[in-house]
Amino acid sequence: MIKVNNLQHTFLIGKKGKEKRVPVLRNVTFDVKQGEIVAIVGKSGSGKSTLLQTIAGFMKPEHGSILVNAQEIAAFNEAQSAKFRLENFGFIFQNFQLMPSLTAFENIELPLKLQGMNVMERRKRVEIIMKKVGLNEVADHFPNELSGGQQQRVSIARALVTNAPILLADEPTGSLDSETEQDILMLIQQLNRELNLTFIIITHDEEVAMIANKRFRMHDGELVKEGEQHVV
Ligand code: ADP
Ligand code: MG
């Protein structure tokens, strides 16, 4: 489903004329099959978020190829990337990134509004997805009236509501206590199983990496595969 080949990127850091070149992605090559949970584990600063931003099309890599269902998305212009993103990727962030002035329901509804879906269809979709992630009781709550775990459920529901087949998660449990972390990891596994969703999860937490079918370790911009294992 996803084939990343020879991805390279360098940041220029420092004052003009005295810039330092810092390689942040070095020949990153890996693939992800449909329905897999893939974990990319690595220390802070190793390049994990840059890799995810590149796959999502927020950043252009200097070199390399990103094929998603045989489409070369690294070559897309901004408009093409934005369209592709809306249809194919859902995002889950460490800090949830919910709109504080919108209720749980409205936060989840937002991507559908962006897609131009009509109000009846939107309501139906949001209600189904809220039920699926266990949020039906708190539809009218604002983010600051929800626990961390509930906020992450809202953000996961928002990622799912467009039926995007690929979920990109950057430290999805990084702001949660360990009990809530387990709940969210179980939810991710349930969604993976029931909806055959593909997850790429970036983390520095070995507990999170445990739920993956396939693990990679990122070190100074280099990605190395760990043992493959079947998760039931
Ligand atoms: P991680 O997510 O693994 O913590 P990042 O991908 O955020 O790592 O960052 C990798 C490296 O690239 C870090 O050294 C970081 O300081 C640097 N970096 C990230 N974004 C930029 C940028 N926009 N400009 C310059 N350097 C950056
Ligand atoms: Mg990061």
Side-chain angles (χ1 to χ4, degrees):
M1 177 176 229
I2 304 173
K3 273 185 187 297
V4 173
N5 200 26
N6 224 338
L7 216 54
Q8 292 179 45
H9 198 73
T10 305
F11 284 123
L12 286 179
I13 296 173
K15 290 204 177 114
K16 226 182 148 120
K18 289 187 186 167
E19 300 99 334
K20 247 176 54 190
R21 289 172 59 82
V22 178
V24 58
L25 299 177
R26 309 179 196 235
N27 295 329
V28 171
T29 298
F30 70 109
D31 64 78
V32 181
K33 298 194 184 83
Q34 195 192 344
E36 269 184 335
I37 301 179
V38 166
I40 295 174
V41 191
K43 291 201 180 116
S44 177
S46 58
K48 305 183 301 295
S49 294
T50 304
L51 175 58
L52 211 67
Q53 298 277 318
T54 309
I55 294 171
F58 291 118
M59 266 182 58
K60 284 270 157 267
E62 273 168 5
H63 295 287
S65 143
I66 306 168
L67 293 175
V68 178
N69 296 326
Q71 277 193 88
E72 180 53 82
I73 66 169
F76 280 171
N77 66 30
E78 243 170 74
Q80 290 171 316
S81 283
K83 181 168 188 289
F84 190 85
R85 197 156 48 229
L86 204 52
E87 289 167 1
N88 293 277
F89 295 131
F91 295 90
I92 304 167
F93 304 97
Q94 172 171 1
N95 56 1
F96 323 130
Q97 301 210 6
L98 301 175
M99 305 285 276
S101 61
L102 300 182
T103 64
F105 184 99
E106 290 163 347
N107 266 286
I108 299 166
E109 184 188 27
L110 199 56
L112 300 180
K113 274 191 169 171
L114 290 175
Q115 287 185 335
M117 188 181 284
N118 75 59
V119 65
M120 290 306 287
E121 187 70 17
R122 290 201 309 255
R123 185 167 301 162
K124 242 186 357 214
R125 287 273 279 278
V126 175
E127 275 166 9
I128 291 169
I129 212 79
M130 287 193 96
K131 218 173 185 170
K132 184 128 211 105
V133 304
L135 281 172
N136 16 0
E137 308 284 296
V138 295
D140 296 331
H141 289 224
F142 290 98
N144 68 3
E145 300 166 343
L146 296 169
S147 70
Q150 286 172 325
Q151 288 182 60
Q152 193 55 302
R153 279 170 197 271
V154 173
S155 109
I156 291 172
R158 180 184 57 189
L160 296 175
V161 76
T162 55
N163 290 334
I166 304 165
L167 283 302
L168 303 178
D170 196 344
E171 304 280 4
T173 62
S175 305
L176 306 175
D177 61 67
S178 57
E179 196 178 322
T180 312
E181 165 169 321
Q182 287 307 321
D183 291 345
I184 294 296
L185 292 178
M186 274 167 64
L187 175 63
I188 289 175
Q189 288 177 290
Q190 179 202 333
L191 294 167
N192 165 256
R193 236 181 3 248
E194 290 177 3
L195 304 175
N196 199 29
L197 295 172
T198 304
F199 284 85
I200 300 179
I201 305 178
I202 278 187
T203 185
H204 64 273
D205 182 339
E206 303 291 337
E207 292 271 318
V208 178
M210 288 294 288
I211 71 163
N213 307 101
K214 212 153 90 183
R215 279 187 284 279
F216 295 89
R217 208 157 281 271
M218 190 115 194
H219 184 72
D220 282 347
E222 276 184 282
L223 195 72
V224 178
K225 188 164 183 215
E226 305 228 309
E228 221 171 67
Q229 126 181 12
H230 183 67
V231 177
V232 274

